[in-house]
Amino acid sequence: DGDSYPVHRNQPNRRITVPVFLHPDYLPYLDGHDRGICRPLSTSPSTPAPAEPITLRLQLAVYICGIFSSGTSNLIWVIVPLWALKLDASPMWIGIALGSYTFMPLLLSIPGGALIDRIGARRMIWTFGSLVVCVSLLYPVMPWLIALVILQMIVGLSVSMAWISTQALIGQ
């Protein structure tokens, strides 16, 4: 059971038989039944679904979130060590302050994605975007190393969740 193909174009009489399940025009059933039995691919041309128009409001939300998530992390790598030096931090505490930015997203990105699916991407963008703005204003008000580490964790999580929400919104 299978098709016969020439081995090489210069040797048309030498042929190889390809089993049906290895033939490129066939795919296995995905439901798990009748293992080994294959079905041919559809020969009708597939037409993609018409794309929904992207509104200006959605574009602006995505661009603003992208600018703030990319720009915030770049600014943090410069400003936080300088702020920690002003607070007389040791090199170890500077490293802890910088590393704490990524600690909460490491732990909560997957549960945050489930929360985005449950609550909705738009609400999460507004919530975490507002949280980034509010918490960023607290840096000069709370001039302690522990506060710096905690604020870094909150800002890191907020930026990450806002960016994940933006990507989810684009995908919808």
Side-chain angles (χ1 to χ4, degrees):
D1 290 83
D3 292 335
S4 177
Y5 294 98
V7 173
H8 192 269
R9 66 175 175 221
N10 293 336
Q11 300 172 348
N13 294 334
R14 255 183 98 200
R15 301 180 74 77
I16 185 169
T17 301
V18 178
V20 171
F21 64 88
L22 292 178
H23 195 277
D25 293 340
Y26 288 84
L27 287 178
Y29 283 111
L30 298 177
D31 59 5
H33 298 291
D34 300 318
R35 293 184 189 271
I37 298 176
C38 301
R39 63 179 170 81
L41 285 173
S42 171
T43 55
S44 64
S46 61
T47 56
E52 295 180 21
I54 299 173
T55 63
L56 180 63
R57 185 175 175 193
L58 177 61
Q59 288 180 17
L60 288 176
V62 168
Y63 292 144
I64 289 170
C65 228
I67 288 169
F68 279 110
S69 30
S70 297
T72 304
S73 60
N74 291 335
L75 286 174
I76 283 189
W77 303 126
V78 175
I79 293 173
V80 167
L82 296 174
W83 181 250
L85 285 174
K86 184 173 179 359
L87 298 175
D88 295 325
S90 67
M92 182 185 79
W93 275 104
I94 294 173
I96 289 172
L98 284 173
S100 64
Y101 182 82
T102 59
F103 182 69
M104 295 303 283
L106 172 76
L107 296 178
L108 298 175
S109 287
I110 294 175
L115 187 65
I116 291 167
D117 290 340
R118 181 175 293 165
I119 294 176
R122 290 175 196 253
R123 187 178 298 168
M124 294 292 281
I125 288 173
W126 282 108
T127 302
F128 283 111
S130 302
L131 191 60
V132 169
V133 171
C134 294
V135 171
S136 296
L137 297 174
L138 293 177
Y139 280 93
V141 177
M142 303 173 74
W144 309 289
L145 287 174
I146 293 298
L148 177 64
V149 170
I150 292 170
L151 292 174
Q152 281 286 98
M153 286 183 187
I154 295 170
V155 168
L157 179 66
S158 300
V159 167
S160 177
M161 289 297 111
W163 187 237
I164 292 170
S165 300
T166 302
Q167 292 173 343
L169 188 63
I170 291 170
Q172 293 172 353

